[in-house]
Amino acid sequence: MKRILILSTAIIFLGASCNRNDDKSDAYGNFEATEIVISAKAMGELEQLDFEEGDLLDMGDIVGVIDTTDLVLNRRLLIQQKKTIGARLESINSEIEVAQQQLQNSLVNQQRIQNLYEKGAATKKQLDDINGLVDINRKQIIAVKSRKAAILDQMTGVDIQVEQIDDRIDKCLIKNPSNGTVLVKYAEKGELAIIGKPLYKLADLEEMKLKAYISGDQMPHIRIGQEVEVIIDENEKENRSIMGRVEWISSTAEFTPKTIQTKEERVNLVYAVKVAVKNDGSIKIGMPGEFNFMK
């Protein structure tokens, strides 16, 4: 009876050991998400910051505003300057028209005196005087047009300054860069925003990444785009499996992170792998997970 009992116990132990080995997953790791820290692009008082931690934001949403009073006033001043310069431009255009008319009159007189000179009815001095007047009229037109070009350059300079102001005003609008959930809110309405100061942290929690580690002899069995079975804890005793897709495989080996398995396994060289998984809301950042290659 003792022999039978010992033999039975050994068989049960071996069977349990085999089951444990069969239940081991191919890789272990933790879930993470792509996190983005959104910072202020302008300096001023935060007039709005319309979200709280846990809120889901869409890409392009205007979630806050930095005070733009000084910028708006500067823009109005520039627009007024452009109007003043524009009035000078109208005056210059009138001068050009007058100068062109004077030149036209001088050209007519020039032709008349030239004809008289050829017939001996006009003197050489009269011809020289009218030729000189034509040259003066042409130079006057060139000078006035040069002044017009300078005024146009001033207007272009004002337009560029207005564009710069518009860009700065646009940067006062806090636009959410991508879809995601607010993880941390670093600032509140009424605080002073400084360029580069973090305002909030965002992460896309709809698709999580399981970062796990595989050994060198497992590398031939995995490839980018491959589907794998991801296992997460359902409760203390049960697991739940979902489908995942291999998104990234490290090209260099590293020592196994300390959080993975036993001390003996931590000294082995492994390769990091990221598996993308659709999140139904149950997967959290830092949560442990495992995956198996599809048979």
Short mmCIF file of all heavy atoms in Angstrom, two decimals, residues 189-227:
data_model
loop_
_atom_site.label_atom_id
_atom_site.label_comp_id
_atom_site.label_asym_id
_atom_site.label_seq_id
_atom_site.Cartn_x
_atom_site.Cartn_y
_atom_site.Cartn_z
N LYS A 189 -6.92 76.93 -15.04
CA LYS A 189 -7.32 78.25 -15.53
C LYS A 189 -6.85 79.32 -14.55
O LYS A 189 -6.97 79.18 -13.34
CB LYS A 189 -8.84 78.29 -15.67
CG LYS A 189 -9.39 79.64 -16.08
CD LYS A 189 -10.90 79.61 -16.17
CE LYS A 189 -11.46 80.99 -16.49
NZ LYS A 189 -12.94 80.99 -16.56
N GLY A 190 -6.32 80.42 -15.10
CA GLY A 190 -5.84 81.53 -14.28
C GLY A 190 -4.35 81.49 -14.01
O GLY A 190 -3.76 82.50 -13.62
N GLU A 191 -3.72 80.33 -14.24
CA GLU A 191 -2.27 80.24 -14.04
C GLU A 191 -1.53 80.87 -15.23
O GLU A 191 -2.10 81.07 -16.31
CB GLU A 191 -1.85 78.78 -13.89
CG GLU A 191 -2.34 78.14 -12.60
CD GLU A 191 -1.83 76.72 -12.44
OE1 GLU A 191 -0.98 76.30 -13.26
OE2 GLU A 191 -2.26 76.03 -11.51
N LEU A 192 -0.25 81.18 -15.02
CA LEU A 192 0.56 81.77 -16.07
C LEU A 192 1.19 80.66 -16.89
O LEU A 192 1.88 79.80 -16.35
CB LEU A 192 1.65 82.66 -15.47
CG LEU A 192 2.61 83.31 -16.47
CD1 LEU A 192 1.86 84.30 -17.36
CD2 LEU A 192 3.75 84.01 -15.74
N ALA A 193 0.92 80.69 -18.18
CA ALA A 193 1.53 79.72 -19.10
C ALA A 193 2.85 80.30 -19.61
O ALA A 193 2.95 81.48 -19.92
CB ALA A 193 0.60 79.44 -20.27
N ILE A 194 3.85 79.45 -19.67
CA ILE A 194 5.16 79.82 -20.19
C ILE A 194 5.49 78.88 -21.33
O ILE A 194 5.15 77.69 -21.28
CB ILE A 194 6.24 79.73 -19.10
CG1 ILE A 194 5.88 80.67 -17.94
CG2 ILE A 194 7.62 80.08 -19.64
CD1 ILE A 194 6.79 80.54 -16.75
N ILE A 195 6.13 79.40 -22.38
CA ILE A 195 6.46 78.56 -23.53
C ILE A 195 7.26 77.34 -23.07
O ILE A 195 8.28 77.45 -22.40
CB ILE A 195 7.26 79.36 -24.57
CG1 ILE A 195 6.41 80.51 -25.12
CG2 ILE A 195 7.72 78.46 -25.71
CD1 ILE A 195 7.15 81.42 -26.07
N GLY A 196 6.77 76.17 -23.42
CA GLY A 196 7.42 74.93 -23.04
C GLY A 196 6.90 74.32 -21.74
O GLY A 196 7.24 73.19 -21.41
N LYS A 197 6.04 75.06 -21.01
CA LYS A 197 5.50 74.54 -19.75
C LYS A 197 4.46 73.46 -20.04
O LYS A 197 3.52 73.69 -20.81
CB LYS A 197 4.86 75.66 -18.95
CG LYS A 197 4.18 75.18 -17.67
CD LYS A 197 3.48 76.33 -16.95
CE LYS A 197 2.76 75.83 -15.70
NZ LYS A 197 2.06 76.93 -14.99
N PRO A 198 4.59 72.25 -19.46
CA PRO A 198 3.61 71.19 -19.69
C PRO A 198 2.22 71.59 -19.19
O PRO A 198 2.08 72.14 -18.10
CB PRO A 198 4.16 70.00 -18.89
CG PRO A 198 5.61 70.29 -18.71
CD PRO A 198 5.71 71.79 -18.61
N LEU A 199 1.22 71.30 -20.01
CA LEU A 199 -0.17 71.58 -19.64
C LEU A 199 -0.93 70.31 -19.27
O LEU A 199 -1.69 70.30 -18.32
CB LEU A 199 -0.87 72.30 -20.79
CG LEU A 199 -0.26 73.64 -21.22
CD1 LEU A 199 -0.99 74.19 -22.42
CD2 LEU A 199 -0.30 74.64 -20.07
N TYR A 200 -0.71 69.25 -20.05
CA TYR A 200 -1.35 67.97 -19.73
C TYR A 200 -0.66 66.83 -20.47
O TYR A 200 0.09 67.06 -21.42
CB TYR A 200 -2.85 68.00 -20.06
CG TYR A 200 -3.20 68.20 -21.51
CD1 TYR A 200 -3.55 67.14 -22.34
CD2 TYR A 200 -3.22 69.47 -22.08
CE1 TYR A 200 -3.89 67.32 -23.67
CE2 TYR A 200 -3.55 69.67 -23.42
CZ TYR A 200 -3.89 68.59 -24.20
OH TYR A 200 -4.22 68.79 -25.52
N LYS A 201 -0.91 65.62 -19.97
CA LYS A 201 -0.36 64.42 -20.59
C LYS A 201 -1.50 63.62 -21.19
O LYS A 201 -2.53 63.41 -20.56
CB LYS A 201 0.40 63.57 -19.58
CG LYS A 201 1.05 62.31 -20.19
CD LYS A 201 1.62 61.40 -19.12
CE LYS A 201 2.87 62.00 -18.48
NZ LYS A 201 3.51 61.04 -17.55
N LEU A 202 -1.29 63.15 -22.42
CA LEU A 202 -2.34 62.47 -23.18
C LEU A 202 -1.83 61.10 -23.62
O LEU A 202 -0.65 60.92 -23.90
CB LEU A 202 -2.68 63.32 -24.41
CG LEU A 202 -3.86 62.90 -25.28
CD1 LEU A 202 -5.16 63.27 -24.58
CD2 LEU A 202 -3.79 63.62 -26.62
N ALA A 203 -2.74 60.13 -23.67
CA ALA A 203 -2.37 58.80 -24.15
C ALA A 203 -3.56 58.18 -24.87
O ALA A 203 -4.71 58.36 -24.46
CB ALA A 203 -1.92 57.90 -23.00
N ASP A 204 -3.27 57.46 -25.94
CA ASP A 204 -4.31 56.73 -26.66
C ASP A 204 -4.49 55.38 -25.99
O ASP A 204 -3.66 54.48 -26.15
CB ASP A 204 -3.90 56.56 -28.13
CG ASP A 204 -4.98 55.85 -28.94
OD1 ASP A 204 -6.07 55.60 -28.38
OD2 ASP A 204 -4.74 55.55 -30.12
N LEU A 205 -5.57 55.24 -25.23
CA LEU A 205 -5.82 54.00 -24.48
C LEU A 205 -6.71 53.03 -25.23
O LEU A 205 -7.01 51.95 -24.73
CB LEU A 205 -6.46 54.34 -23.12
CG LEU A 205 -5.66 55.27 -22.21
CD1 LEU A 205 -6.38 55.47 -20.89
CD2 LEU A 205 -4.25 54.73 -21.97
N GLU A 206 -7.13 53.41 -26.45
CA GLU A 206 -7.97 52.50 -27.23
C GLU A 206 -7.15 51.35 -27.80
O GLU A 206 -7.68 50.28 -28.06
CB GLU A 206 -8.68 53.26 -28.35
CG GLU A 206 -9.70 54.27 -27.83
CD GLU A 206 -10.49 54.91 -28.95
OE1 GLU A 206 -10.21 54.58 -30.14
OE2 GLU A 206 -11.37 55.74 -28.66
N GLU A 207 -5.86 51.60 -28.03
CA GLU A 207 -4.97 50.54 -28.47
C GLU A 207 -3.75 50.53 -27.56
O GLU A 207 -2.99 51.48 -27.53
CB GLU A 207 -4.56 50.73 -29.93
CG GLU A 207 -3.70 49.59 -30.44
CD GLU A 207 -3.33 49.73 -31.91
OE1 GLU A 207 -2.42 50.52 -32.21
OE2 GLU A 207 -3.95 49.05 -32.75
N MET A 208 -3.58 49.48 -26.81
CA MET A 208 -2.48 49.35 -25.87
C MET A 208 -1.36 48.52 -26.49
O MET A 208 -1.57 47.77 -27.44
CB MET A 208 -2.95 48.71 -24.57
CG MET A 208 -4.10 49.44 -23.89
SD MET A 208 -3.61 51.05 -23.24
CE MET A 208 -2.65 50.53 -21.81
N LYS A 209 -0.17 48.68 -25.94
CA LYS A 209 0.99 47.92 -26.41
C LYS A 209 1.49 47.04 -25.27
O LYS A 209 1.80 47.54 -24.18
CB LYS A 209 2.11 48.86 -26.85
CG LYS A 209 1.69 49.95 -27.84
CD LYS A 209 1.40 49.42 -29.20
CE LYS A 209 1.26 50.53 -30.23
NZ LYS A 209 0.27 51.54 -29.91
N LEU A 210 1.56 45.74 -25.52
CA LEU A 210 2.16 44.82 -24.57
C LEU A 210 3.63 44.69 -24.93
O LEU A 210 3.98 44.14 -25.97
CB LEU A 210 1.49 43.45 -24.62
CG LEU A 210 2.15 42.35 -23.77
CD1 LEU A 210 2.16 42.72 -22.29
CD2 LEU A 210 1.48 41.01 -23.99
N LYS A 211 4.48 45.24 -24.07
CA LYS A 211 5.92 45.13 -24.30
C LYS A 211 6.42 43.91 -23.53
O LYS A 211 6.43 43.89 -22.30
CB LYS A 211 6.65 46.38 -23.84
CG LYS A 211 8.14 46.36 -24.18
CD LYS A 211 8.83 47.68 -23.82
CE LYS A 211 10.30 47.67 -24.23
NZ LYS A 211 10.98 48.94 -23.88
N ALA A 212 6.79 42.89 -24.28
CA ALA A 212 7.24 41.63 -23.68
C ALA A 212 8.61 41.27 -24.24
O ALA A 212 9.16 41.98 -25.09
CB ALA A 212 6.23 40.53 -23.96
N TYR A 213 9.16 40.18 -23.73
CA TYR A 213 10.53 39.81 -24.10
C TYR A 213 10.58 38.34 -24.50
O TYR A 213 9.97 37.49 -23.85
CB TYR A 213 11.49 40.06 -22.93
CG TYR A 213 11.55 41.52 -22.56
CD1 TYR A 213 10.62 42.08 -21.69
CD2 TYR A 213 12.51 42.35 -23.13
CE1 TYR A 213 10.67 43.43 -21.37
CE2 TYR A 213 12.55 43.70 -22.81
CZ TYR A 213 11.63 44.23 -21.93
OH TYR A 213 11.67 45.56 -21.62
N ILE A 214 11.29 38.06 -25.59
CA ILE A 214 11.44 36.69 -26.07
C ILE A 214 12.92 36.35 -26.15
O ILE A 214 13.77 37.23 -26.25
CB ILE A 214 10.78 36.49 -27.45
CG1 ILE A 214 11.43 37.43 -28.49
CG2 ILE A 214 9.28 36.76 -27.39
CD1 ILE A 214 10.96 37.18 -29.91
N SER A 215 13.21 35.06 -26.11
CA SER A 215 14.60 34.61 -26.18
C SER A 215 15.05 34.53 -27.63
O SER A 215 14.24 34.60 -28.56
CB SER A 215 14.74 33.24 -25.50
OG SER A 215 13.90 32.30 -26.16
N GLY A 216 16.34 34.35 -27.81
CA GLY A 216 16.89 34.29 -29.15
C GLY A 216 16.35 33.12 -29.96
O GLY A 216 16.13 33.25 -31.17
N ASP A 217 16.10 31.98 -29.31
CA ASP A 217 15.61 30.83 -30.06
C ASP A 217 14.13 30.97 -30.44
O ASP A 217 13.62 30.17 -31.23
CB ASP A 217 15.84 29.53 -29.28
CG ASP A 217 15.18 29.56 -27.90
OD1 ASP A 217 14.54 30.59 -27.58
OD2 ASP A 217 15.31 28.57 -27.16
N GLN A 218 13.45 31.99 -29.88
CA GLN A 218 12.07 32.24 -30.28
C GLN A 218 11.97 33.20 -31.46
O GLN A 218 10.91 33.31 -32.08
CB GLN A 218 11.28 32.84 -29.09
CG GLN A 218 11.03 31.86 -27.94
CD GLN A 218 10.34 32.55 -26.78
OE1 GLN A 218 10.85 33.55 -26.26
NE2 GLN A 218 9.20 32.03 -26.37
N MET A 219 13.06 33.91 -31.78
CA MET A 219 13.05 34.91 -32.84
C MET A 219 12.58 34.35 -34.19
O MET A 219 11.84 35.03 -34.92
CB MET A 219 14.42 35.55 -32.98
CG MET A 219 14.73 36.57 -31.89
SD MET A 219 13.77 38.08 -32.09
CE MET A 219 14.66 38.87 -33.42
N PRO A 220 12.99 33.15 -34.59
CA PRO A 220 12.54 32.65 -35.90
C PRO A 220 11.03 32.44 -35.99
O PRO A 220 10.49 32.29 -37.09
CB PRO A 220 13.29 31.32 -36.05
CG PRO A 220 14.47 31.43 -35.13
CD PRO A 220 13.99 32.24 -33.98
N HIS A 221 10.36 32.40 -34.84
CA HIS A 221 8.92 32.09 -34.83
C HIS A 221 8.04 33.34 -34.78
O HIS A 221 6.82 33.22 -34.63
CB HIS A 221 8.59 31.19 -33.63
CG HIS A 221 9.41 29.95 -33.57
ND1 HIS A 221 9.28 28.91 -34.48
CD2 HIS A 221 10.42 29.57 -32.72
CE1 HIS A 221 10.14 27.95 -34.19
NE2 HIS A 221 10.84 28.32 -33.13
N ILE A 222 8.63 34.52 -34.89
CA ILE A 222 7.83 35.74 -34.76
C ILE A 222 8.22 36.73 -35.86
O ILE A 222 9.37 36.78 -36.30
CB ILE A 222 8.04 36.38 -33.36
CG1 ILE A 222 6.98 37.46 -33.11
CG2 ILE A 222 9.44 36.92 -33.19
CD1 ILE A 222 6.96 37.94 -31.67
N ARG A 223 7.25 37.52 -36.32
CA ARG A 223 7.50 38.49 -37.38
C ARG A 223 6.52 39.67 -37.21
O ARG A 223 5.48 39.53 -36.55
CB ARG A 223 7.32 37.87 -38.77
CG ARG A 223 5.90 37.42 -39.06
CD ARG A 223 5.79 36.73 -40.40
NE ARG A 223 4.40 36.39 -40.69
CZ ARG A 223 3.76 35.33 -40.22
NH1 ARG A 223 4.41 34.47 -39.42
NH2 ARG A 223 2.50 35.11 -40.53
N ILE A 224 6.85 40.79 -37.81
CA ILE A 224 5.98 41.97 -37.76
C ILE A 224 4.65 41.66 -38.44
O ILE A 224 4.61 41.09 -39.53
CB ILE A 224 6.65 43.17 -38.46
CG1 ILE A 224 7.98 43.52 -37.79
CG2 ILE A 224 5.72 44.38 -38.45
CD1 ILE A 224 7.86 44.05 -36.40
N GLY A 225 3.55 42.05 -37.80
CA GLY A 225 2.22 41.81 -38.35
C GLY A 225 1.61 40.48 -37.95
O GLY A 225 0.43 40.22 -38.25
N GLN A 226 2.38 39.64 -37.30
CA GLN A 226 1.88 38.32 -36.90
C GLN A 226 0.85 38.44 -35.78
O GLN A 226 0.97 39.26 -34.88
CB GLN A 226 3.06 37.46 -36.44
CG GLN A 226 2.68 36.09 -35.90
CD GLN A 226 3.90 35.31 -35.45
OE1 GLN A 226 5.02 35.62 -35.87
NE2 GLN A 226 3.69 34.31 -34.61
N GLU A 227 -0.20 37.63 -35.82
CA GLU A 227 -1.20 37.60 -34.76
C GLU A 227 -0.76 36.64 -33.65
O GLU A 227 -0.24 35.56 -33.93
CB GLU A 227 -2.57 37.17 -35.30
CG GLU A 227 -3.24 38.23 -36.16
CD GLU A 227 -4.70 37.88 -36.43
OE1 GLU A 227 -5.06 36.70 -36.30
OE2 GLU A 227 -5.47 38.80 -36.78
#
